[in-house]
Each structure stands twice: as C-alpha cells, then as structure tokens.
Amino acid sequence: MTSPPRPDDAHPYLRAASAGIRHHARALAPSDADPPRPVDRPHIDVLHAHLTALLQLLDLLADHTRPPHPAAGRHLATAHTRLWQATTEVHAAFHLLPDTTEATARTSACHPERLPEGPPVLTICQRHLAAGHVVRRKTTPTDLRPHTTACAR
C-alpha cells in the first residue's frame, strides 16, 4: 500500500505547466529596455493547444466529480463552458492575425504546407473542431452563448 502524495508532490505536471505559463507571461511583459513584441500565429496556436488540453482535463474532472458531488461537478462543467468560449475567441484571433507562412517559406527549406497533418492553419482548425464536437455533445446552444456581465449604461 502506498501513502498518499504530499500536497507539494501532487500533480507535478500541472504545477510545471502553470509555472511555464507564469514564466511566459513574465517574458512577454514589456520592460523599459525591450518594447513589446507583437503576437504571432504560432504563439496563438500553442496557446490554443494548451486551452484545448485544459478543456479535456476540465471535462474529465467534471465527469469524475459529478456523481459524488453534483454541485461541484456543475461548477466544473460551467468552467468548461467558459473555457470553451475563451478557446473560441483565441481561435478567432488566430485567423485575424497576419499570415507569415509566405515569408518563412521563402527563407526556409521547411514547407509546413507539406506536413502530414497539413499546414498549421488547418491544424488549429482541426483541433478546434474536435474540441467543439466534444463540447457540443455535453452542452446546449444556450449554454454556449457568451454571457454578458457588463452593466448597461
């Protein structure tokens, strides 16, 4: 029989992922020496991949939590829906950023359009469609509508 993990040893990969995000946010913070760099499509693609992985995790957590603790499971399911809304906005932002594949294709021998999974613009769309399929199986269209929290003026 093994002893339960200590709280500081529990879920080391989640802690590492969180630390990586904090490090990345600090690296992006503008300093006096370096002006802020614009965000590019590969950056948003990686963020979208992270968000879809979080969607899968939240979905599993909600499913495992719901039977013994229905109220907590509902809160996790609501968080899953809100995260899906954020993922959708990140996906939309990806398509609004300028495409730099033409410039990189001329300067590099690498041809992303020849990758087996397709060009990166299709990879993010395939990932988003797969995540959307899972989300739509468990939520209603009303749940997926963005909720406005701003007060009317």
Side-chain angles (χ1 to χ4, degrees):
M1 190 160 126
T2 61
S3 62
R6 293 186 353 231
D8 58 342
D9 289 337
H11 313 292
Y13 295 113
L14 281 175
R15 280 198 334 274
S18 298
I21 290 172
R22 283 191 302 271
H23 172 77
H24 188 71
R26 281 192 301 268
L28 283 175
S31 67
D32 294 335
D34 298 324
R37 292 181 299 158
V39 176
D40 56 1
R41 278 184 157 190
H43 189 169
I44 297 297
D45 185 30
V46 172
L47 178 61
H48 187 270
H50 184 79
L51 290 173
T52 54
L54 279 174
L55 276 170
Q56 291 173 347
L57 178 61
L58 263 176
D59 190 32
L60 289 171
L61 288 172
D63 286 347
H64 293 332
T65 304
R66 195 170 292 127
H69 306 287
R74 283 192 300 273
H75 280 285
L76 290 173
T78 300
H80 181 267
T81 301
R82 301 299 179 265
L83 184 59
W84 168 249
Q85 292 167 341
T87 304
T88 299
E89 296 301 327
V90 169
H91 179 251
F94 175 89
H95 289 293
L96 292 174
L97 289 172
D99 188 9
T100 58
T101 55
E102 294 142 5
T104 56
R106 285 194 302 266
T107 61
S108 171
C110 176
H111 295 280
E113 68 277 1
R114 295 183 193 161
L115 294 171
E117 65 272 9
V121 70
L122 292 181
T123 305
I124 190 173
C125 291
Q126 290 168 351
R127 182 186 325 117
H128 196 71
L129 287 172
H133 178 71
V134 172
V135 168
R136 285 182 181 89
R137 277 187 306 131
K138 296 186 175 194
T139 56
T140 67
T142 303
D143 292 337
L144 296 177
R145 281 194 207 111
H147 293 271
T148 56
T149 56
C151 54
R153 292 180 184 212

